Amino acid sequence: MTTSRIGESERSEAEPRPWRDRKRYLWLLGLVAPTALFIATALVWAFNELGWNLVAPVWWWVGPLLVYVALPLLDLFFGPDGHNPPEEVMKQLENDKYYRYCTYAYIPFQLVGLGFACYLWTASDLSWLGIHGGLGLVSKIGLMFSVGAMGGIGINTAHELGHKKDELERWLSKITLAQTAYGHFYIEHNRGHHVRVATPEDPASARFGETFWTFLPRSVWGSLSSSWELEKARLHRMGKSPWTIHNDILNAWLMTVVLWGVLVVIFGPMALPYLIGQAIYGFTLLETVNYLEHYGLLRQRTASGRYERCTPVHSWNSDHIVTNIFLYHLQRHSDHHANPTRRYQTLRSMDGAPNLPSGYASMITLAYFPPLWRRVMDHRVLDHYDGDITRVNIQPRKRDRVLAKYGAC
C-alpha cells in the first residue's frame, strides 16, 4: 500500500497540472469603464453627505482619471503579464462562450450609462445627490469626458465584436459604435486597415516624425473616405447604389441618429452639445491608440513590387496586464493582425514583436506631447530597424530632414 501511494505521488508530481486561465474572472474588470459613471455618482453622493462638497465634483471626471492616472499607475505596479495559453487549449478556450458574454455585457451598461448622463446634464434638480439645482459647467464637462472615455473604450469592444463571423456580434459592434458616431470604423478597420497596415497608404498607421496632432485629422478623414470607397465598391459589385440601407456605413450611422434622436426627445436639445463632445473625445481616444500601434513601422516591398505580408514586427505591443484586461488584449496587437478573427482570450504575446516601454494607457498621454513622444519612441523605431532609417515609414514632408539627421544618403 505504501509503495502504491508513493508511486501515485511520483506520477502526480511528474504530470503537468491542467492549464487554467488565471485571468478568467479578471475580464469582468472590463465592465469598470461602462459602470464608472454609476460608481462616480455614488461617490459624489457619499462625499456630499460627508460635507466634502468641494471634493465631490472631482468624481465627474472619473473617465480621464481612469485613463490617464489609474491605468498607468496600475500598469506600473503590476507590470507585464508574460503568460500565453498553450496550443492544446486554444480550441476549447476559443469556444468558451463565457468570454464573449463578457464583451456583450459592456453594451447595456454603456447605453444605460449614456442615458443616465443625459439626465445628469439636463436635470435642474439633483437634490437627491446633495446638489442644489443642476450640475455646474465644469462638472458637466467632466461628465462629458467620462462618458466619452466609456464610448472610446466601447470602440475597442466594437473592434473585438466586429472581427467575428457571427452576424449577431457584427450587429452588436455597430450598436456599440453608435454612441461615438463612428460606425464607419466597422468597415475601414476590417477591410482597410488590416489590408494596408504599416504602409504609407494606410491612414491609421502613423509615420515617423508625424505628431499625433497631425495624424489625428489625417486618420479621421482618411478612414472616413476610405470606408465609403470600400463600401461603395462592394455594393457596386452587387449591382446596388451606395445610397441604400444595405450600406453598412449608412445603417451604422442611422443607429447613431436613432440613439441620439431618442435621447434628445427625452432629455431635450440641451443634451446635444454634450453628446457631440463626448463622441469627439471618444473617437479621439481610438485614434490615439491607432497612432501608437504602428508608429514608424513599415512593410517592405518585395521583388514583385507588392508589400510583404504583415508579420509580428509590424505592430507595437505591450503585455502590461492591467490595460490588457481593460482593452481585451488589444495590446497583443501583432497576434491580432496575424489572426484577426481570433478571440481576445486566445491572443498571445509574440516573439519578434516590438514592445512599447509601458501599456497603451501610459503611451496615450505621451502621444499628446510630441517632444516627449519623439524622445521615447524615435530611437526605439531606429533600434527596431538596426539603425537603417530607409526602412522606416517616414512622414513625407519631413523625409529629407529625417534622412539627413539620421545619416542616410
Side-chain angles (χ1 to χ4, degrees):
M1 289 291 292
T2 304
T3 305
S4 175
R5 286 175 182 169
I6 292 173
E8 288 175 5
S9 175
E10 289 175 347
R11 278 199 306 274
S12 176
E13 290 177 4
E15 291 173 358
R17 293 180 179 179
W19 184 86
R20 65 182 183 88
D21 183 7
R22 297 190 297 178
K23 293 178 286 191
R24 181 178 179 86
Y25 298 107
L26 291 178
W27 295 114
L28 292 172
L29 292 174
L31 298 178
V32 167
T35 59
L37 175 56
F38 304 111
I39 298 169
T41 303
L43 289 169
V44 168
W45 174 84
F47 275 57
N48 282 330
E49 285 291 303
L50 291 169
W52 299 352
N53 306 81
L54 294 177
V55 180
V58 171
W59 293 109
W60 296 124
W61 293 80
V62 65
L65 289 172
L66 178 65
V67 172
Y68 303 120
V69 181
L71 286 179
L73 289 176
L74 289 170
D75 272 339
L76 183 65
F77 182 79
F78 287 101
D81 182 353
H83 291 89
N84 285 337
E87 195 63 38
E88 60 268 20
V89 304
M90 282 294 198
K91 185 174 181 180
Q92 176 188 348
L93 196 59
E94 182 84 11
N95 293 328
D96 189 338
K97 291 189 176 180
Y98 162 81
Y99 294 95
R100 66 188 72 179
Y101 295 151
C102 288
T103 57
Y104 296 173
Y106 193 102
I107 303 167
F109 284 118
Q110 175 190 10
L111 295 176
V112 173
L114 182 62
F116 183 52
C118 287
Y119 158 71
L120 292 171
W121 280 322
T122 57
S124 57
D125 180 11
L126 292 174
S127 55
W128 63 275
L129 266 177
I131 297 172
H132 300 292
L135 294 184
L137 181 60
V138 173
S139 294
K140 288 183 178 182
I141 293 173
L143 178 58
M144 180 186 76
F145 278 103
S146 292
V147 174
M150 174 179 72
I153 297 172
I155 296 177
N156 181 63
T157 306
H159 165 261
E160 170 66 22
L161 296 169
H163 271 293
K164 304 305 173 280
K165 297 176 181 178
D166 184 89
E167 192 66 22
L168 171 63
E169 291 182 287
R170 290 173 177 263
W171 278 100
L172 288 175
S173 175
K174 294 181 188 177
I175 292 170
T176 311
L177 292 167
Q179 176 185 338
T180 48
Y182 229 55
H184 59 281
F185 173 83
Y186 171 83
I187 297 298
E188 168 57 21
H189 181 81
N190 294 336
R191 286 160 41 197
H193 174 65
H194 270 262
V195 173
R196 299 179 300 226
V197 61
T199 70
E201 290 77 23
D202 180 32
S205 291
R207 301 156 178 171
F208 188 91
E210 182 178 32
T211 70
F212 167 69
W213 304 109
T214 303
F215 169 82
L216 178 62
R218 180 175 74 84
S219 185
V220 170
W221 177 250
S223 297
L224 175 60
S225 57
S226 172
S227 64
W228 182 261
E229 291 303 319
L230 288 167
E231 189 64 355
K232 181 180 176 182
R234 181 185 74 87
L235 292 167
H236 179 74
R237 290 193 298 269
M238 298 169 62
K240 294 182 178 180
S241 164
W243 302 102
T244 169
I245 195 64
H246 299 292
N247 183 321
D248 282 328
I249 296 174
L250 294 182
N251 59 49
W253 285 346
L254 182 60
M255 291 181 187
T256 296
V257 171
V258 171
L259 175 62
W260 288 18
V262 168
L263 292 173
V264 168
V265 167
I266 295 173
F267 297 105
M270 285 300 296
L272 188 57
Y274 297 103
L275 285 170
I276 294 171
Q278 64 82 28
I280 293 171
Y281 177 65
F283 70 67
T284 298
L285 275 181
L286 162 77
E287 296 296 354
T288 316
V289 172
N290 279 339
Y291 176 76
L292 59 91
E293 284 176 334
H294 305 282
Y295 176 77
L297 302 179
L298 180 65
R299 287 155 58 193
Q300 307 302 313
R301 290 191 182 273
T302 64
S304 66
R306 301 181 66 179
Y307 287 110
E308 63 182 327
R309 291 184 63 184
C310 183
T311 68
V313 303
H314 298 122
S315 302
W316 289 103
N317 292 253
S318 171
D319 209 25
H320 285 72
I321 187 169
V322 177
T323 300
N324 258 336
I325 291 295
F326 273 80
L327 297 182
Y328 303 117
H329 268 160
L330 179 68
Q331 299 179 134
R332 293 184 168 184
H333 208 59
S334 288
D335 195 12
H336 168 66
H337 272 278
N339 304 281
T341 61
R342 177 171 283 172
R343 294 189 180 274
Y344 68 92
Q345 66 270 21
T346 60
L347 291 173
R348 303 155 300 175
S349 183
M350 303 186 77
D351 293 335
N355 279 281
L356 296 168
S358 188
Y360 280 12
S362 304
M363 302 305 292
I364 284 173
T365 305
L366 202 64
Y368 296 154
F369 302 96
L372 293 177
W373 175 265
R374 288 195 298 268
R375 177 173 294 184
V376 170
M377 286 302 299
D378 283 6
H379 73 88
R380 285 180 164 83
V381 176
L382 285 169
D383 291 346
H384 180 61
Y385 288 110
D386 299 320
D388 186 356
I389 191 64
T390 63
R391 296 167 60 196
V392 174
N393 185 9
I394 303 172
Q395 174 77 330
R397 65 184 180 85
K398 293 185 177 180
R399 186 171 185 83
D400 291 342
R401 196 186 323 164
V402 167
L403 292 177
K405 179 178 179 179
Y406 293 102
C409 298

